[in-house]
Amino acid sequence: GSDPRNLTNQPDGQHGEPSWSPDSERIAFSGRTDGPVFTIHVMDADGQNIEAVGPNEGQSFTPEWSPNGGRIAYNHRLPDETGADIHLLRLSDRSITQLTEVEGVDGTTQELAWSPDGAYIAYGYRHQPPDQPGWPPDTYAVRVASGTAFTLTNDGQSEEPSWVGASPFSVSPDGKTTTTWGRIKAPE
């Protein structure tokens, strides 16, 4: 629109990575107001009722709502660590569960995408193999019920997953552009 509005409007804070709830009533975002801790916040779509709902230590970022709106997945890095893992926040009781565990401190999860049925989360994962410089990204998925992760790509170039429905066509928001994509392989 032509009339942008600052919803968080806190001069001493840092906020970003907004994610709309499935019902479009709330927005989750990563932010901090005092000190070094970035945590997950939720607010009404109009910017009212801002509430910190994530952990109060470390860095929490890239929140993504579950398809039913009952949970938020996010990446979390503990203080003094370089790696990040996926955590799940159940909004009804504010319980937090660690879903993945990175391989050592030289890996980190990023960009999350829930499957439409809420059974899986696809995610980018950057790792630092001992024999390869840089941080080559790949795409993984994890079963939400069990925490079992598996590799989707192994090309060192994939990191921003997105689920595709039954049709291999993706339509842009304006409805004028269609893109053909391959299907994500699924476990047996």
Side-chain angles (χ1 to χ4, degrees):
S2 60
D3 190 22
R5 199 174 95 193
N6 184 344
L7 295 177
T8 56
N9 202 18
Q10 295 174 345
D12 296 332
Q14 286 182 283
H15 305 101
E17 302 174 323
S19 175
W20 284 97
S21 64
D23 64 5
S24 300
E25 295 292 323
R26 296 178 292 167
I27 300 170
F29 62 95
S30 174
R32 70 182 178 128
T33 51
D34 295 318
V37 175
F38 275 83
T39 194
I40 303 303
H41 294 77
V42 174
M43 68 179 165
D44 295 341
D46 63 2
Q48 299 298 306
N49 300 312
I50 296 176
E51 181 180 9
V53 295
N56 58 8
E57 68 172 351
Q59 308 295 317
S60 298
F61 49 98
T62 59
E64 290 294 331
W65 292 86
S66 63
N68 69 6
R71 294 181 285 184
I72 297 173
Y74 60 93
N75 289 300
H76 184 71
R77 180 177 24 244
L78 292 172
D80 302 320
E81 290 193 10
T82 58
D85 294 297
I86 298 172
H87 288 228
L88 291 178
L89 167 67
R90 182 183 313 275
L91 292 168
S92 61
D93 62 7
R94 302 293 164 82
S95 63
I96 296 173
T97 305
Q98 182 175 331
L99 192 58
T100 63
E101 188 168 341
V102 298
E103 301 166 11
V105 296
D106 291 329
T108 189
T109 56
Q110 51 192 42
E111 307 305 329
L112 309 175
W114 284 86
S115 63
D117 64 2
Y120 298 92
I121 298 173
Y123 60 96
Y125 177 73
R126 287 184 172 263
H127 49 91
Q128 176 79 43
D131 61 341
Q132 191 175 10
W135 289 77
D138 281 310
T139 301
Y140 290 72
V142 60
R143 285 186 179 96
V144 173
S146 68
T148 303
F150 52 94
T151 305
L152 295 176
T153 68
N154 194 16
D155 60 9
Q157 300 179 26
S158 306
E159 64 182 320
E160 295 184 11
S162 179
W163 291 89
V164 178
S167 168
F169 299 103
S170 174
V171 179
S172 67
D174 66 7
K176 297 179 182 177
T177 307
T178 302
T179 306
T180 304
W181 294 89
R183 294 186 187 268
I184 292 179
K185 66 181 179 180
E188 297 298 322

